[in-house]
DNA sequence: AGCTATCCGC
DNA sequence: GCGGATAGCT
C-alpha cells in the first residue's frame, strides 16, 4: 500500500513537464525514504534522476518498496488536470497494476480522481558513480536556459569552459561563432540572481545542445541550476525541487574533433579508448561514437546486468551532487 | 574601423525582425552620418529603406564609409541572442570580412560576442525619387496591421481610398467583399491613437496585401504608421525608429482589373495605358504587368545604371517622407 | 519557411 | 480575457 499526499500539486506538474520530453516510460521507485526515478532518455545518451524525499510530503506511507511503471506523457496529462494549488494524493496498492491520482481543490469543493494503468518496464535503474568535480557552476536557471536556447540557433554543440573568473559558453556554426561569458557574481541583491563558480581546476567540455535544451525544461522548478563538470565525466545539471529533493540530468561530453583526440592520445597514451564496434543494443551511434574514454552513465546500456541496491534512495545533503550519489553500479558488459 | 554602441538592443532586434522576411541579403551602409540600408525585396516588387542616424547611438565611430553585406536572417538570429536591455556594440574593421556583435547585460555580468561572416552583395543601392503626396494618412500601427491581416483573409489586394473624412480599405474575394473605414480623429486622449488624414486630393490605389502584411512586421517599432499616397506612385509605409530614424517600405500600386480598366476607359478615354510588351530586363512580370504608366521605384531594375550619391544618408526632418528623399536617381533604361 | 492552431502566462 | 509563445502543419 502506497499513499502519498503532496500539498503543492503544481510541483509535481512541473516535475513531469521536465521529464516527459526526455523519457517516455519509466519506473517510479517508492520506498520508505522517498519517491524516485532514474531513466535514460529514449536514445540512451542522457540520464535523468529524480528524487523526492518522503519528508517533503504532507503524508507519506509506503509499506513495501514498489516500482510503478508509468508512461510519463500520460502521467503528465493527468497531472495537468490538477490545479496548481490542488492537494495531490497518489495511491497504489501492492499489486501495483494501476495508480490513482486524487486532486482536491484548496477549498475542498472539487475532488477528482484519475486512475492510470501501470506498465511493466524493464528496469534501467542504474547506480550513478560517485565523482569529484573539477568545477561547479551555480547560476540562475533562466539564464542558463536562455544561453542554451540562443546558442542552439548558431550551432549544435556548446563548449562550457570554467575559469575562476567565470563560465564561458561557446558555439560555432555555419553562420558564425558565439561566446557568452557569465562572471562569478555574488554581489547581487537577490541570491537567486547570483552566479557562483567553485573551481578546483579549469575545465572545458563539449556537449550536445539538443540535450541541454531538454534539461532546461526543468527551469520552472528552481531559480538556480547547478552545473558540475569534470574532464571525461558526464556533466550533472541539477535543479532543486523545493524542500523535497532534486532532478538531475547527466550528459556525457563529446570529445573534440579528430585532431584533438590525437593530441590527447599523445599526451595521455595510457587512456584506454572504447572499441569502435558497438553492441547492437546501442541505439544512437552518432553520439556514442565520439564518447570519451572512461566508463560513465551514458556507457551503461539498458541490457547490462546491474546490481540494484534496494536502498538506493539517499536522504543526504543537497549541496554537492557528488556526495549524494550513493548507489553502486556493477556493470557487466553483455558483449 | 567601425564601432557603434547602442543602448537599447531591443530596437535593433525589432528592426531586423521587420526586414528579414522581406529581404534576404542586403548591404548595411555605414557613413559618418549614420547606418542605413536600402534593398528591394527578393521578388523586386517592394523596396525597403532603413535609416539610423549616428546621433541615435551612444557611441558612433565610422572612419570611412563601409558597406557590410549581411544575410539578414542570420543577423536577426544573432541579435535575438541579445536581451532587450542589453547594450549592443557592432564592430567591423576596414577589411570588413566579418562583423562582431557584442551584447552586455545591464549589470555587466554577462558579456557575449557573436561573430558573423560578411558577404559580397551586388549593391542595389537605389536612390529614391522625391515626390509630393496627394494624401498622407497617419494612424495607429497596430490598427493598420490588423486591417491588412483581416482583409487578406478575404482577398489578395487592398484598395486604399482617402477622402477628407477618412481612409477606406477595401477588398474583394471569392467569399465576399469588405470595406473598413477609419475616420480622421484627433480627439482621442492619447496621441498614439489618433488617425490623421492630410489630403490635397482624393486618391484611391490598389496594393497587394501580401506585401502590406510583410511591412506590418515593423509594427512593434512604432505606435503609429504613416501611409503616403499619390496616384501612380509607390505608397510609402513608414515606421519611426525611436529618436534614431525610420524604416520605410515602398510598394507600387496595381492597376485595377480588366473590367474596371475598360470601365475607366469608357468614362475617361484619355487614360494612356502601358503597352503590353515589356522589356526583357523586367524580372517579375505578374506585378509589372499591371503597373501604372509612370516611372517609380518598382520600375528601377537592378541592371539600370544608377548614379549613386556617396552621401546618401540624409539627416533631415522626419515628418514628411517626401522631404527626406534627397538621393538622386538617374535612370537609363538599358533597352 | 511561413502560417495556423493551441496552450500558457499576464 | 487578451497577448505571446510554441508546436505542428502545409
Amino acid at each position: 500500500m502506497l499513499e502519498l499526499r503532496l500539498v503543492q500539486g503544481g510541483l509535481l506538474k512541473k516535475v513531469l513537464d521536465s521529464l516527459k520530453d526526455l523519457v517516455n516510460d519509466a519506473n517510479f521507485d517508492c520506498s520508505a525514504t522517498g519517491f524516485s526515478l532514474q531513466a535514460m532518455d529514449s536514445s540512451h545518451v542522457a540520464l535523468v534522476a529524480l528524487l523526492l524525499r518522503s519528508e517533503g510530503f504532507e503524508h507519506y506511507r509506503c509499506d513495501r518498496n514498489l516500482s510503478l511503471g508509468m508512461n510519463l506523457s500520460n502521467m503528465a496529462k493527468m497531472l495537468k488536470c490538477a490545479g496548481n494549488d490542488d492537494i495531490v494524493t497518489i495511491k497504489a496498492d501492492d499489486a501495483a497494476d494501476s495508480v490513482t491520482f486524487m486532486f482536491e481543490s484548496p477549498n475542498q469543493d472539487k475532488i477528482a480522481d484519475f486512475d492510470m494503468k501501470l506498465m511493466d518496464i524493464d528496469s534501467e535503474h542504474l547506480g550513478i558513480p560517485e565523482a569529484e568535480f573539477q568545477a561547479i557552476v551555480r547560476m540562475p536557471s533562466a539564464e542558463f536556459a536562455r544561453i542554451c536556447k540562443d546558442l542552439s540557433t548558431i550551432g549544435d554543440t556548446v563548449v562550457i569552459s570554467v575559469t575562476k573568473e567565470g563560465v564561458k559558453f561557446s558555439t560555432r556554426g555555419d553562420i558564425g561563432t558565439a561566446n557568452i561569458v557569465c562572471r562569478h557574481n555574488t554581489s547581487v541583491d537577490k541570491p537567486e540572481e547570483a552566479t557562483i563558480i567553485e573551481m578546483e581546476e579549469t575545465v572545458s567540455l563539449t556537449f550536445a545542445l539538443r540535450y541541454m535544451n531538454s534539461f532546461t525544461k526543468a527551469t520552472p522548478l528552481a531559480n538556480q541550476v547547478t552545473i558540475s563538470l569534470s574532464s571525461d565525466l558526464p556533466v550533472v545539471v541539477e535543479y532543486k525541487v523545493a524542500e523535497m529533493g532534486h532532478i538531475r540530468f547527466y550528459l556525457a561530453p563529446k570529445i573534440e574533433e579528430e585532431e584533438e583526440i590525437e593530441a590527447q592520445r599523445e599526451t595521455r597514451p595510457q587512456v584506454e579508448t572504447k572499441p569502435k564496434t558497438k553492441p547492437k543494443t546501442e541505439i544512437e551511434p552518432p553520439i556514442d561514437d565520439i564518447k570519451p574514454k572512461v566508463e560513465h552513465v551514458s556507457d551503461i546500456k539498458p541490457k547490462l546486468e546491474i546490481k540494484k541496491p534496494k536502498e538506493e534512495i539517499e536522504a543526504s545533503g543537497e549541496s554537492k551532487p557528488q556526495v549524494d550519489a550513493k548507489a553502486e553500479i556493477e556493470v557487466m558488459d553483455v558483449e
Side-chain angles (χ1 to χ4, degrees), chain A:
Chain A
M1 176 67 183
L2 170 78
E3 187 172 312
L4 343 185
R5 192 174 161 86
L6 187 64
V7 181
Q8 245 285 5
L11 261 190
L12 215 49
K13 295 171 70 169
K14 286 180 194 159
V15 165
L16 264 292
D17 280 342
S18 320
L19 296 173
K20 69 173 208 290
D21 289 337
L22 205 61
V23 180
N24 298 126
D25 308 304
N27 286 315
F28 278 83
D29 294 309
C30 315
S31 75
T33 54
F35 194 66
S36 75
L37 171 151
Q38 284 183 24
M40 303 206 70
D41 82 291
S42 24
S43 53
H44 294 277
V45 173
L47 190 147
V48 57
L50 166 73
L51 169 69
L52 301 175
R53 281 185 295 272
S54 54
E55 308 93 273
F57 293 84
E58 193 201 1
H59 167 73
Y60 191 98
R61 173 182 166 187
C62 178
D63 298 341
R64 68 178 199 82
N65 291 357
L66 277 183
S67 197
L68 309 176
M70 310 215 208
N71 174 300
L72 297 189
S73 137
N74 292 342
M75 182 176 172
K77 276 184 194 166
M78 290 204 166
L79 288 172
K80 276 211 201 312
C81 302
N84 282 335
D85 301 321
D86 283 4
I87 297 164
V88 173
T89 304
I90 301 177
K91 284 186 195 174
D93 55 29
D94 283 348
D97 53 355
S98 82
V99 63
T100 301
F101 302 103
M102 235 181 74
F103 310 137
E104 298 165 61
S105 64
N107 59 13
Q108 300 288 319
D109 284 350
K110 194 185 75 180
I111 298 178
D113 65 271
F114 290 71
D115 212 75
M116 191 175 82
K117 281 264 174 305
L118 293 176
M119 3 177 10
D120 244 327
I121 298 167
D122 276 356
S123 179
E124 295 187 40
H125 194 117
L126 310 164
I128 294 159
E130 290 185 43
E132 294 289 324
F133 289 96
Q134 291 168 4
I136 298 177
V137 176
R138 196 177 160 75
M139 64 187 289
S141 57
E143 193 168 333
F144 176 63
R146 173 70 196 267
I147 289 169
C148 291
K149 182 169 148 282
D150 282 350
L151 292 187
S152 62
T153 67
I154 314 283
D156 296 328
T157 59
V158 58
V159 179
I160 306 182
S161 312
V162 185
T163 62
K164 266 202 196 62
E165 289 70 40
V167 54
K168 183 170 78 174
F169 303 90
S170 308
T171 193
R172 168 189 301 272
D174 293 341
I175 70 169
T177 63
N179 298 290
I180 300 174
V181 176
C182 298
R183 294 173 51 203
H184 177 86
N185 173 13
T186 54
S187 61
V188 280
D189 304 341
K190 304 166 192 161
E192 68 266 26
E193 289 174 6
T195 297
I196 299 161
I197 316 279
E198 287 175 49
M199 195 203 76
E200 306 270 316
E201 204 177 327
T202 62
V203 59
S204 180
L205 293 168
T206 306
F207 302 97
L209 278 166
R210 178 190 151 195
Y211 293 99
M212 287 292 175
N213 277 318
S214 283
F215 300 168
T216 60
K217 295 281 158 64
T219 302
L221 278 170
N223 287 325
Q224 291 248 318
V225 62
T226 308
I227 305 159
S228 305
L229 300 142
S230 261
S231 305
D232 308 326
L233 280 187
V235 62
V236 183
V237 178
E238 171 175 336
Y239 298 84
K240 294 265 175 277
V241 179
E243 309 302 317
M244 294 194 69
H246 58 246
I247 182 164
R248 287 188 191 145
F249 301 96
Y250 297 79
L251 179 64
K254 305 181 90 146
I255 56 170
E256 297 75 14
E257 297 137 43
E258 290 297 316
E259 318 86 288
E260 294 178 53
I261 296 173
E262 292 309 316
Q264 271 194 337
R265 278 185 184 144
E266 279 161 32
T267 52
R268 293 189 281 175
Q270 76 285 7
V271 167
E272 190 191 319
T273 51
K274 200 180 165 70
K276 289 273 177 193
T277 56
K278 295 186 295 10
K280 296 196 185 84
T281 51
E282 294 203 351
I283 297 163
E284 196 73 12
I287 299 281
D288 285 332
D289 259 350
I290 45 172
K291 227 161 35 179
K293 57 216 171 303
V294 296
E295 291 292 338
H296 49 62
V297 285
S298 79
D299 284 319
I300 303 161
K301 287 163 285 300
K303 295 267 174 63
L304 299 187
E305 210 176 334
I306 291 159
K307 186 182 248 170
K308 180 172 151 191
K310 260 308 169 198
E311 301 308 319
E312 67 273 35
I313 297 165
E314 79 282 22
S316 63
E318 280 298 321
S319 56
K320 299 275 165 70
Q322 66 273 28
V323 292
D324 282 4
K326 292 230 182 95
E328 301 276 334
I329 333 178
E330 197 148 353
V331 176
M332 282 173 46
D333 205 319
V334 277
E335 285 168 87

